[in-house]
DNA sequence: CTGAAAGCGCTTACAG
DNA sequence: CTGAAAGCGCTTACAG
């Protein structure tokens, strides 16, 4: 049974109204008058009729015919997280401006949900995927999870996987941030990070360690690598144990920063005097003190990712683009 | 030019492999063996082949044929906001479990973007819309913006518009929250709200005012109605002017709470001793003090909204459902 | 019990 | 310069 309650105007109805073939309507409305060798006059008539009848193309029909749905998918752990949500926002805005709809798929960081995501993506003829992959992925499995359509990895990436990607200069900015703690006079600097196989986390850790090694200050007992399934407890445990020895703290993600700073505020620790902190991403915590952080240019990352993806979709070449966008260390006004 | 690089298995290829008509395949794979009067034996062969060949239905083709895309849209101000992002998360999860994909459309609270949203929705044969409408909508305009497909208003609603909706008990819970401030001994209780035509905001204000009137405590000069385009400044201005006179504060949204609490923390005001606060939505601010708030049961709201929408899509009846889900006042542990 | 056929609304190679 | 026709991958009323 077809959906009868919605009567839409099709190219055929315009063709009937104007008195031409529907192929003519299609050529005109797609701006291919040249290709169809349609006269100025007919062209104008079609346009006018289409506007008057308020024609809206049926993307589903076009999609079936052309193989392109003008839809892209964003695969993400959890849109309700500010970091991911902000990416989703920028991507949707930009995609819309380019005529694309955005399907969002949450994975909850679960590997098995990636394959169901790809099923959806294939079923719906999604044209391309912006992928923020899943935590602690087994290296071998990633390659298999290739839907065979254009895909760009955003923010997170894998060493062994050669796909286009857009990331920030994780190593360099982390090294600089750590050095900044040293420059402020910290001598016992801790790292709060994840136990992870994702490269961006490893790069941040490497930046931290190289900076401290260069200053002969590395103390491996001051490195906390939380388990992502249990990171709140892990961070709190670490701080309970080590806080008294720490005068500087580098934290590699926004989620971890929230936890650590909440803890310190609750414990009455004086931020930026008892202990200097630098986090990743704006600290969304009203401490009454401004805390420097690594600012990731999310809008730029999203637009760049989309551009690369779109180019890949349209040109069908298989060139792999590896784009690094520099992040900077900033301190917001209160 | 068709997309040749992806070779997918169609019902036809299964039909060829098994040696039946593709209509038979369709009946079997849709669980309509009865309707197509297909034998057990053929049915089994088809299923086995489909599994072996890893058949994935083409939803675009089915959509064109049936008129249903198995896609719903969430229209929202801004996914990067925690409140909206959390809704998006729950809706996507639930929709996926029911076989639906979720398209997200941000409006940025702009009226004109609603009509472009509806264009997308129509173009893509979206089956239904979960609508979190736009701020300060002109009443007359809402009715016109009807895409003619099933729609459920979520959280926000209009007085004059009769559509299905899922909301919380804004009036009652706000009255109770305000009364709670009175019970704690506050005598100069302020309201921070928006200058708005949306009913949920008006209801919250009404709850506040009725509670204070009943206690003979209403002071209209302690009501701040911020302009949403400029709400941060408006809130700060109000607090600058009135903070000294206030011992209780009721704040009607999470966004406003953030601003107000940040301000107070920065000014060194002692929360819950200098001034008692109750907000809407969890206070995402590490103050070292736990602040009570109105907890909106977002997952429940989202599921209920989706259920109502789905029912409307499937049954095609025009019954209007008006669902009120009770919110509660809670205080989280630190 | 099963298959051929029409049709959803497009696009585009082809014929005239 | 323009139109008839095929086909994208499905669903389903219909004929046998």
């Amino acid at each position: 049974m077809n959906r009868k309650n919605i009567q839409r105007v099709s190219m055929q109805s315009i063709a009937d109204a104007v008195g031409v073939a529907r192929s003519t309507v299609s050529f005109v409305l797609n701006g291919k008058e040249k290709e169809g060798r349609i006269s100025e006059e007919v062209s104008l008539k079609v346009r006018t009729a289409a506007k008057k009848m308020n024609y809206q193309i049926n993307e589903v029909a076009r999609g079936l015919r052309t193989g392109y749905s003008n839809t892209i998918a964003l695969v993400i752990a959890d849109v309700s997280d500010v970091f991911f949500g902000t990416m989703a926002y920028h991507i949707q805005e930009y995609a819309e401006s380019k005529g694309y709809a955005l399907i969002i798929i949450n994975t909850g960081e679960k590997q098995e949900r990636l394959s169901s995501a790809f099923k959806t993506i294939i079923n719906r003829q999604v044209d391309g995927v912006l992928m923020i992959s899943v935590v602690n992925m087994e290296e071998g499995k990633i390659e298999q999870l290739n839907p065979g359509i254009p895909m760009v990895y955003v923010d997170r990436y894998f060493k062994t996987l050669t796909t286009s990607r857009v990331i920030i200069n994780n190593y360099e900015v982390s090294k600089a941030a750590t050095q900044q703690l040293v420059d402020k006079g910290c001598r016992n600097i801790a790292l709060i990070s994840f136990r992870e196989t994702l490269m961006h986390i490893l790069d941040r850790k490497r930046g931290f360690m190289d900076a401290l090694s260069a200053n002969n200050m590395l103390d491996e007992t001051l490195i906390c690598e939380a388990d992502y399934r249990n990171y709140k407890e892990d961070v709190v445990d670490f701080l309970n144990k080590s806080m008294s020895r720490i005068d500087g703290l580098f934290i590699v993600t926004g989620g971890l920063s929230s936890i650590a700073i909440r803890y310190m505020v609750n414990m009455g620790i004086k931020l930026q005097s008892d202990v200097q902190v630098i986090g990743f991403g704006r600290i969304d915590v009203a401490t009454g003190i401004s805390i420097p952080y690594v600012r990731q240019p999310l809008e730029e990352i999203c637009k760049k990712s989309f551009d690369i993806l779109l180019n890949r979709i349209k040109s069908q070449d298989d060139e792999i683009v590896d784009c690094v966008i520099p992040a900077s260390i900033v301190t917001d006004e209160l």
Side-chain angles (χ1 to χ4, degrees), chain A:
Chain A
M1 177 189 43
N2 253 20
R3 187 137 66 154
K4 286 275 155 38
N5 54 338
I6 299 174
Q7 209 40 273
R8 295 187 43 193
V9 4
S10 64
M11 287 189 172
Q12 187 63 67
S13 37
I14 296 177
D16 292 345
V18 178
V20 296
R22 75 168 181 284
S23 45
T24 307
V25 177
S26 172
F27 279 122
V28 173
L29 263 27
N30 285 308
K32 297 188 176 171
E33 297 93 330
K34 293 271 156 52
E35 210 170 303
R37 289 142 302 173
I38 316 290
S39 69
E40 268 297 323
E41 191 197 334
V42 170
S43 189
L44 186 67
K45 273 203 261 184
V46 170
R47 268 180 225 294
T48 324
K51 188 161 277 174
K52 206 179 69 194
M53 299 167 74
N54 190 27
Y55 174 73
Q56 305 287 340
I57 196 172
N58 183 330
E59 291 278 358
V60 175
R62 169 192 262 169
L64 179 58
R65 176 59 223 241
T66 62
Y68 293 98
S69 60
N70 288 352
T71 301
I72 69 156
L74 172 63
V75 178
I76 216 172
D78 176 353
V79 232
S80 72
D81 179 282
V82 227
F83 179 75
F84 298 131
T86 304
M87 304 200 87
Y89 176 79
H90 290 304
I91 291 166
Q92 195 273 320
E93 293 267 310
Y94 196 56
E96 184 175 321
S97 79
K98 303 278 185 183
Y100 280 75
L102 207 221
I103 286 181
I104 288 197
I105 305 178
N106 294 297
T107 63
E109 306 283 18
K110 296 209 175 57
Q111 253 184 75
E112 63 273 21
R113 290 188 59 188
L114 273 186
S115 48
S116 104
F118 284 134
K119 236 174 233 176
T120 303
I121 284 165
I122 297 292
N123 284 350
R124 294 172 185 274
Q125 285 192 185
V126 167
D127 297 333
V129 181
L130 294 178
M131 170 63 79
I132 303 189
S133 191
V134 147
V135 122
N136 279 315
M137 192 77 186
E138 296 156 39
E139 283 276 339
K141 293 228 171 156
I142 317 157
E143 286 79 358
Q144 299 162 23
L145 281 171
N146 191 330
I149 65 166
M151 176 147 70
V152 174
Y153 275 75
V154 189
D155 185 55
R156 301 175 172 185
Y157 72 104
F158 298 100
K159 196 162 200 166
T160 57
L161 190 64
T162 47
T163 40
S164 288
R165 64 188 178 208
V166 177
I167 59 177
I168 59 166
N169 58 344
N170 293 291
Y171 174 77
E172 293 78 6
V173 79
S174 298
K175 195 170 172 182
T178 308
Q179 183 61 46
Q180 188 167 307
L181 292 172
V182 174
D183 294 345
K184 281 191 180 160
C186 302
R187 288 299 168 265
N188 298 287
I189 304 178
L191 173 73
I192 297 185
S193 182
F194 284 112
R195 186 174 322 119
E196 240 315 324
T197 57
L198 283 169
M199 289 306 294
H200 72 301
I201 296 292
L202 297 177
D203 288 343
R204 292 173 193 179
K205 180 184 176 191
R206 205 160 43 85
F208 170 84
M209 292 182 65
D210 284 2
L212 289 195
S213 295
N215 288 282
N216 260 323
M217 270 187 201
L218 184 57
D219 177 352
E220 303 242 5
T221 68
L222 292 183
I223 293 179
C224 164
E225 291 189 288
D227 185 318
Y228 76 99
R229 284 161 304 194
N230 198 41
Y231 68 96
K232 299 189 184 182
E233 288 76 1
D234 286 357
V235 169
V236 168
D237 287 351
F238 171 76
L239 291 175
N240 269 333
K241 206 172 48 194
S242 315
M243 201 64 234
S244 56
R245 297 164 49 209
I246 298 173
D247 61 5
L249 191 50
F250 179 54
I251 311 171
V252 302
T253 74
L256 292 172
S257 298
S258 262
I259 302 301
I261 291 180
R262 240 163 252 261
Y263 172 92
M264 292 188 282
V265 169
N266 291 344
M267 299 301 276
I269 291 163
K270 300 244 175 312
L271 295 171
Q272 308 309 78
S273 65
D274 292 349
V275 57
Q276 299 286 334
V277 179
I278 297 189
F280 247 84
R282 189 208 308 280
I283 315 287
D284 66 338
V285 167
T287 54
I289 285 170
S290 51
I291 297 171
Y293 63 92
V294 175
R295 191 187 150 274
Q296 295 158 280
L298 289 187
E299 185 171 359
E300 197 185 343
I301 291 172
C302 291
K303 285 185 171 175
K304 190 73 192 171
S305 303
F306 187 86
D307 284 339
I308 292 171
L309 186 63
L310 200 55
N311 186 49
R312 189 91 163 54
I313 291 169
K314 295 231 158 130
S315 75
Q316 306 256 354
D317 69 15
D318 285 357
E319 196 200 349
I320 286 175
V321 182
D322 188 350
C323 176
V324 178
I325 295 181
S328 48
I329 301 166
V330 302
T331 309
D332 287 345
E333 298 283 316
L334 264 191

